[in-house]
Amino acid sequence: MNEMKRSSLLSVFGLAIVMLSDPSIAETFEDGHAAYDSGDYAAAYQIWKSLADQGSPSAQYGLGEMYSLGLGVSRDDPEAAKWFGMAASSDHAPAQSRLGAMYDVGRGVPQSLSKAMKWYRKAAQQGDLPAQVSLGLIYGTGRGVPQNYFQAVKWFRLASEQGDALAQFNLGLIYASGNDVVPEDDLEALVWFILAAKGGNQEARKNQEAFAKRMSPEQVKRAEKLAQDWMTTKAEDKAAKCSMSGAIECK
């Protein structure tokens, strides 16, 4: 074998070793997630840290969760906020939501409702459920902002359509009392209470029972049918989307 050919083979062999030993090439975010799910937090941290340093928003979010919960590392809220912030700047919706929550309560960052709402809104507009509920609660209660039922109904409805029981319960309360955005509507309120109760919200169950006592049997039956129709439609929509996407979590 001549020297040129031997040199070429050694170069290729050496490159193969580098590729296999380089975590950024040999390991993926999913590898880190598998390690995280199995409780091997040290391995998850190693994989995600390498990917996060290369700019992976998903890995940055993963590190934020680990520092936030103290899994595999000492709990460190400022460090968690740092990684959430990096991922949030890349439009990673869950990271935006978590960063908003940290600003909301002043955990790892100075408390700031305006910054919390900024990140909540960015996440909510991408369909993040916790962020939608948080905005609904802020506007619905007027916590730190003028009470705004239009915004509250908007965000609660979006979260309710995703099946969130707390949002459904609050939407029921808004319809039960009525305001300048939605008229008082016991039937609509009962529908949302039924859905929230089916989702495990105990306060909704109490309100469902109270409303059922003061409404006619025909109204209660209609509300139950509307709630069941809603659940059936959502189940069919999910099945159709899963069938089209073939997503693993749908199987």
Side-chain angles (χ1 to χ4, degrees), residues 135-159:
L135 285 176
L137 290 170
I138 290 171
Y139 281 117
T141 59
R143 178 170 65 85
V145 297
Q147 195 170 40
N148 187 325
Y149 283 115
F150 177 82
Q151 288 292 328
V153 169
K154 169 187 172 180
W155 295 115
F156 280 145
R157 188 176 296 283
L158 286 171

Side-chain angles (χ1 to χ4, degrees), residues 77-118:
D77 289 339
E79 191 71 8
K82 181 189 85 171
W83 289 110
F84 284 142
M86 292 174 69
S89 296
S90 297
D91 284 334
H92 189 282
Q96 292 171 337
S97 183
R98 296 287 277 112
L99 186 60
M102 296 191 86
Y103 274 113
D104 202 346
V105 299
R107 182 180 165 188
V109 291
Q111 187 173 21
S112 170
L113 183 60
S114 62
K115 289 183 179 179
M117 293 183 71
K118 166 193 168 182

Side-chain angles (χ1 to χ4, degrees), residues 14 79 129 159 206 211 250:
E79 191 71 8
L129 182 56
K206 294 177 184 177
F211 269 64
C250 295

Side-chain angles (χ1 to χ4, degrees), residues 228-243:
Q228 185 57 53
D229 289 346
W230 185 93
M231 294 176 65
T232 299
T233 299
K234 290 299 175 184
E236 290 174 347
D237 288 346
K238 180 179 180 180
K241 289 178 182 177
C242 288
S243 177

